[in-house]
Amino acid sequence: MSRFIHQCLKPVSAVLTLGSMAGGALAASASHQEESTPTGQETTTPAPSVNDAQTQGVQATQVERIHVIGHPFNTMHAGNDMGRLPQDVMHTPQTIDVVPRELIRQQNVKSLDEALRNVPGITASVGEGAGGLNGDQFLIRGFPAQNDIYEDGLRDFGVYARDSFNYDSVNVIKGPSSQVFGNGTTGGAINVVTKTPMANDHYNVDFSGGSADYFRGTVDVNKTINNRTAFRLEGMGASNNVVGRDHVWDHRWGIAPSVAFGLGTKTTVVLQVMHQTDNSVPDFGMPVIKTKWSAYGRPLSEYGVPRHNFFGKQQDHNHTDDTMETLRLKHVFNRHFTFHNDLRFGEYSRNFEASKVVCRAGCIDAINGGDFGKGLVNRTTPGNSVPLPYKQNSWSFQDVASLQADFKTWSLRHQVVTGFDMEYVHDSRHQDVYAGTIPAANLLYPNPHEVTDAQARRVPGGENPKSMPYIAGLGRKPDNHGYGFDTGIFLYDQIWLTNWASIKGGFRWDRWQSGYTVTGGPETTLNEKNRPVPNEDKRFPQTKNTFNPTASLVLTPTSWQTIYFTYASSTTPTGMYVTSGAVPVRPGKNGGTVDNRPQHARLYEVGSKFSLLHDRLGATISLFRLDKDNALTTDPVSNSTINTGAQQRNQGMELSLGGMILTGWNITATYALYDPKTSSNNGGPMHNQIQYVPHNQATLWSAYEAFPNLPWNFTIGGGLTWRQGVYLDNNNTSKVPANVDFDTVISHHFGRHWQVSLNGYNLANRLNYNTLFSGYSTPAPGRTFLGRLTMDY
């Protein structure tokens, strides 16, 4: 009998609930199960009743039980892993896309960016201007989300390329979510669920190698100290070049130890530390130009310039060190009250130097004339070196406490969540300039080694202010400091009018305080017209109170269906991008006062979620409209945040399907149809398409496991990612073509503990673009193959 139970548990990614006679409960998600389980087998466990589905986590059980739900690719019963979102995905009235652990493993996902390619509506963007931000900068439904990346429900303020070595899954909550996450979240929020200690020993070692001198190793060790305490350690080391790009490489390592106390009891404490060091070459790719043959501006590689050409210099580098210490507490008082408190400290540093190249008139003439060899690409612009090299140091603190109360008033059942959120972030940035003149690169035969160390020698900006860009209202200032301090309270109540109908409403109030200070440089300087002007230090403080309500109607007519309508709102004050913008605020024209108008967003969404075939298959459909006023944009010179006054709207439909079609056959598929419109600055009719937002995009991944219990077993799968061509500016004057990416995997198990696999990416070797901005785009890696060996005990 025990052997049969073990075989049934192996193929599922479930919610495991342990109740007690005292009414206390411990819920452990699928991330806490044995990670060596293969997929593709069907469980005979019946689906939960409608009351079970609705009240999961609401009322404690009276007997100890094990409840198995679903399948790894059916994410409808996946938890959100936050006290503020106690319901599972199916019963949360908003679009939530989940990249599950099994998909991460099959695709050999190595970064947050790679995981999010499975989610429609997300675009990767490189930063612009003096900040040179080329860490994880995403847009959700076309709206910036660089400040909306979370790990286990707490904000990750760092600007770096996040590795996935300690990821269990990735959740993307679509639409304004200020009630849960605070200010920001116009397009949505990205929440990474990390691996944490579990109550059984587990050992995993993984090695990958392949194209472009790619090498990667990870280790994951979970060790129980006693029946209530466990320790877990994840580690990673990786080194690689990039297929199809010259002189671009990345070396990184990371470590993530954690310890959990009180497993299986009413009080659980988890202490986690994550550190990642990354040393890479920032790649700003291809400048976007318009030739006499093209109706739109396009990347240079669209005109025949080799995709592998790297126009930077040998001194370009991006060195980051990022550490986060997290303490998570959960206490179940009784079946009515559950308390969560999550605390995090973060320390981030960055040393950055890059070449944001420009193809000017002479370069364009060479392309028009067909003599590419005569073209020169500028690596910098004298007197306006963009991006400037800089050093950045940041630190942050956040504490979120929440209380979940489950009770009845007469015949009405309530689930109330209330709490407070306090966060502080501080950033210091010191700009350097170049002592010499950086030579241009040849259009056809660029050579990064022709730039000497003397030419690229960095000196503090205050020693050579003429090389600093002049910014109206700020002057030429080499040093800046910023901070943000937010205090918020939130409250919402979900009331079940019947067993199948409930309403949910609440609000969040925040007090946002920020300050930005520029210092250094001479007392006087030259403005853009070469006239002497004062260059004094300046400080720009701000305080804003924000209020964001939300309301939902949730219907569960059957145990396998949820129908909902949601209104949600969010507010983004100026100064939000403390660490991810060189100038988080900017004075008005001619140095006038800062425009402190916040950005507001409103979401109207109706949708339905399904968990079919005894929870083997999940599906969603949603229709939404997202309105945003006073849109913020980034100045291409200063990287400062500017209030444009533009009105923007994105509306459309999103579909998803995931689970097991037949025994051994898994699938996940998504489709998004968008109608994104924007006005010109200061409002007016919405005629143009919002930059970076495609009308259509879709993803598909499917794998089949054959002969799972026989020596000649194998798994074969593959899929495609498609994104229609997008505009690179709101004026719709430049664009990139569609992305089409075919990937595949084949693997074989040697017994239960060893596996070999081969992943192929971009099999058609198509010229795609995976990072976008208004003036340039970076070609995606070409055809890549990675072999992998996994030991799992």
Side-chain angles (χ1 to χ4, degrees):
M1 183 67 179
S2 62
R3 180 180 179 86
F4 172 76
I5 294 175
H6 177 72
Q7 292 297 322
C8 288
L9 287 176
K10 283 173 62 178
V12 299
S13 174
V15 176
L16 180 62
T17 306
L18 302 178
S20 69
M21 294 297 292
L26 170 70
S29 70
S31 63
H32 298 161
Q33 295 187 26
E34 182 180 356
E35 297 207 4
S36 60
T37 58
T39 64
Q41 303 175 23
E42 184 175 354
T43 174
T44 58
T45 303
S49 68
V50 62
N51 286 341
D52 287 340
Q54 291 171 345
T55 62
Q56 186 178 17
V58 176
Q59 298 181 3
T61 57
Q62 298 303 311
V63 295
E64 192 169 281
R65 65 188 176 90
I66 295 178
H67 192 137
V68 180
I69 301 175
H71 184 271
F73 283 87
N74 176 12
T75 59
M76 290 297 97
H77 294 295
N80 290 298
D81 208 51
M82 285 183 289
R84 290 162 286 167
L85 282 177
Q87 301 289 336
D88 61 11
V89 170
M90 184 168 178
H91 298 95
T92 301
Q94 207 159 338
T95 297
I96 301 179
D97 293 298
V98 179
V99 184
R101 167 168 46 91
E102 190 60 34
L103 182 59
I104 290 174
R105 180 161 53 185
Q106 284 189 4
Q107 295 183 345
N108 195 8
V109 166
K110 301 164 288 297
S111 65
L112 178 60
D113 175 61
E114 291 183 8
L116 292 176
R117 290 174 191 171
N118 294 285
V119 179
I122 289 190
T123 306
S125 173
V126 180
E128 180 85 67
L133 302 172
N134 71 327
D136 286 333
Q137 305 288 309
F138 300 108
L139 301 106
I140 304 176
R141 288 178 172 172
F143 303 113
Q146 64 262 42
N147 209 44
D148 301 320
I149 301 175
Y150 296 80
E151 190 171 286
D152 298 318
L154 296 173
R155 201 184 298 264
D156 182 353
F157 290 95
V159 181
Y160 61 105
R162 293 161 177 82
D163 196 278
S164 62
F165 73 100
N166 66 329
Y167 287 8
D168 185 77
S169 62
V170 179
N171 294 14
V172 180
I173 297 94
K174 298 284 187 67
S177 305
S178 282
Q179 175 202 333
V180 176
F181 295 105
N183 289 322
T185 68
T186 300
I190 301 165
N191 183 49
V192 172
V193 179
T194 62
K195 300 174 182 177
T196 55
M198 52 189 177
N200 60 282
D201 292 344
H202 174 242
Y203 311 94
N204 179 281
V205 179
D206 191 287
F207 296 98
S208 297
S211 304
D213 297 328
Y214 184 93
F215 300 98
R216 178 183 173 89
T218 63
V219 60
D220 181 2
V221 176
N222 187 90
K223 181 65 178 176
T224 56
I225 299 174
N226 54 48
N227 60 351
R228 293 289 183 263
T229 307
F231 174 80
R232 191 164 186 171
L233 176 68
E234 293 103 25
M236 172 274 301
S239 175
N240 66 276
N241 299 328
V242 177
V243 175
R245 298 293 293 156
D246 293 341
H247 310 290
V248 179
W249 48 263
D250 189 315
H251 308 310
R252 68 177 64 170
W253 66 272
I255 188 169
S258 58
V259 60
F261 304 94
L263 294 173
T265 69
K266 289 186 176 183
T267 303
T268 305
V269 177
V270 180
L271 175 62
Q272 300 170 276
V273 178
M274 192 289 297
H275 175 84
Q276 180 182 318
T277 293
D278 199 333
N279 192 18
S280 62
V281 175
D283 185 7
F284 280 73
M286 298 286 175
V288 173
I289 66 166
K290 183 178 181 298
T291 67
K292 62 182 180 181
W293 303 290
S294 60
Y296 300 97
R298 298 188 297 167
L300 284 181
S301 44
E302 293 298 306
Y303 300 104
V305 175
R307 64 191 288 179
H308 59 77
N309 280 7
F310 173 70
F311 298 106
K313 54 190 185 297
Q314 61 176 328
Q315 294 83 3
D316 291 348
H317 65 271
N318 178 33
H319 182 86
T320 59
D321 282 288
D322 301 275
T323 305
M324 293 185 294
E325 303 93 5
T326 306
L327 181 65
R328 303 168 63 193
L329 166 69
K330 177 183 178 181
H331 178 69
V332 180
F333 291 97
N334 49 47
R335 65 177 184 171
H336 298 296
F337 296 99
T338 303
F339 176 75
H340 292 81
N341 192 86
D342 300 325
L343 172 67
R344 171 172 295 161
F345 292 92
E347 303 89 34
Y348 318 96
S349 67
R350 193 177 193 203
N351 189 328
F352 184 84
E353 180 174 351
S355 303
K356 199 204 81 172
V357 294
V358 181
C359 180
R360 299 193 179 277
C363 174
I364 297 174
D365 290 342
I367 295 175
N368 285 332
D371 193 354
F372 287 22
K374 292 184 179 180
L376 295 177
V377 177
N378 295 97
R379 292 185 172 102
T380 61
T381 305
N384 188 17
S385 299
V386 177
L388 293 172
Y390 68 90
K391 295 179 180 178
Q392 178 184 11
N393 289 281
S394 312
W395 65 272
S396 66
F397 158 86
Q398 185 175 13
D399 186 80
V400 182
S402 63
L403 178 67
Q404 174 187 331
D406 302 292
F407 57 91
K408 283 187 175 182
T409 57
W410 295 280
S411 62
L412 300 179
R413 190 170 75 248
H414 296 257
Q415 183 175 77
V416 175
V417 177
T418 185
F420 74 89
D421 183 352
M422 180 182 297
E423 67 180 40
Y424 179 88
V425 57
H426 185 273
D427 182 70
S428 297
R429 191 184 302 245
H430 305 281
Q431 305 283 355
D432 292 335
V433 296
Y434 297 111
T437 300
I438 307 298
N442 185 273
L443 183 62
L444 279 186
Y445 308 106
N447 180 9
H449 301 286
E450 66 187 351
V451 181
T452 67
D453 289 337
Q455 292 169 324
R457 183 171 64 89
R458 292 166 58 167
V459 297
E463 297 181 11
N464 189 5
K466 292 183 179 180
S467 295
M468 292 285 296
Y470 179 83
I471 303 173
L474 298 181
R476 302 179 191 269
K477 311 300 290 185
D479 303 316
N480 60 65
H481 308 274
Y483 79 90
F485 180 48
D486 183 63
T487 304
I489 58 174
F490 52 89
L491 170 69
Y492 68 81
D493 185 10
Q494 185 166 2
I495 306 172
W496 279 264
L497 307 175
T498 68
N499 283 338
W500 56 271
S502 64
I503 56 174
K504 182 178 180 180
F507 70 91
R508 174 162 172 149
W509 174 87
D510 286 89
R511 180 176 177 83
W512 171 256
Q513 302 174 67
S514 65
Y516 174 67
T517 304
V518 291
T519 61
E523 293 182 359
T524 61
T525 188
L526 299 177
N527 63 14
E528 67 273 15
K529 298 179 180 179
N530 290 322
R531 297 175 181 173
V533 293
N535 194 43
E536 67 270 13
D537 296 347
K538 293 184 179 181
R539 182 175 183 269
F540 303 94
Q542 172 189 222
T543 300
K544 285 286 182 183
N545 295 322
T546 64
F547 181 81
N548 293 289
T550 184
S552 300
L553 171 65
V554 185
L555 306 177
T556 53
T558 67
S559 62
W560 48 267
Q561 182 181 17
T562 297
I563 303 169
Y564 66 90
F565 171 79
T566 290
Y567 166 82
S569 61
S570 71
T571 305
T572 305
T574 55
M576 274 290 294
Y577 307 118
V578 176
T579 60
S580 57
V583 186
V585 296
R586 179 178 177 177
K589 294 182 179 180
N590 301 319
T593 58
V594 176
D595 186 350
N596 285 333
R597 292 176 298 166
Q599 173 182 278
H600 297 285
R602 295 163 300 281
L603 171 73
Y604 308 89
E605 180 171 313
V606 60
S608 187
K609 305 180 183 184
F610 308 86
S611 190
L612 309 169
L613 303 178
H614 295 285
D615 289 325
R616 296 201 320 264
L617 193 67
T620 68
I621 179 172
S622 62
L623 303 173
F624 75 93
R625 174 166 175 158
L626 180 56
D627 294 311
K628 182 174 75 169
D629 61 25
N630 193 37
L632 304 179
T633 190
T634 303
D635 181 86
V637 174
S638 67
N639 198 38
S640 59
T641 302
I642 300 173
N643 300 65
T644 65
Q647 308 295 311
Q648 294 183 337
R649 182 207 69 211
N650 191 12
Q651 59 187 6
M653 175 180 67
E654 292 183 348
L655 307 172
S656 72
L657 178 71
M660 180 171 62
I661 299 176
L662 297 173
T663 300
W665 183 12
N666 308 319
I667 188 171
T668 179
T670 66
Y671 171 71
L673 171 64
Y674 292 154
D675 178 28
K677 297 296 183 182
T678 182
S679 73
S680 59
N681 292 350
N682 299 315
M686 289 186 285
H687 293 305
N688 293 337
Q689 185 173 330
I690 300 175
Q691 62 189 128
Y692 316 126
V693 188
H695 278 301
N696 295 275
Q697 64 183 125
T699 68
L700 172 66
W701 178 267
S702 185
Y704 179 72
E705 183 179 13
F707 315 110
N709 298 315
L710 298 176
W712 48 86
N713 70 86
F714 66 90
T715 299
I716 187 168
L720 96 99
T721 302
W722 170 63
R723 184 198 70 213
Q724 198 172 13
V726 297
Y727 290 102
L728 298 176
D729 61 331
N730 283 333
N731 292 326
N732 295 173
T733 61
S734 60
K735 66 188 305 183
V736 294
N739 268 16
V740 182
D741 195 347
F742 295 95
D743 302 331
T744 189
V745 65
I746 184 169
S747 66
H748 171 71
H749 280 276
F750 294 94
R752 291 186 56 227
H753 303 295
W754 292 85
Q755 180 184 18
V756 293
S757 59
L758 177 67
N759 287 84
Y761 307 93
N762 194 10
L763 297 179
N765 201 30
R766 180 183 170 90
L767 177 56
N768 294 321
Y769 299 90
N770 61 359
T771 48
L772 311 173
F773 213 75
S774 58
Y776 48 91
S777 299
T778 305
R783 185 185 298 114
T784 303
F785 292 98
L786 296 181
R788 187 180 185 189
L789 174 64
T790 303
M791 180 200 74
D792 196 293
Y793 282 87

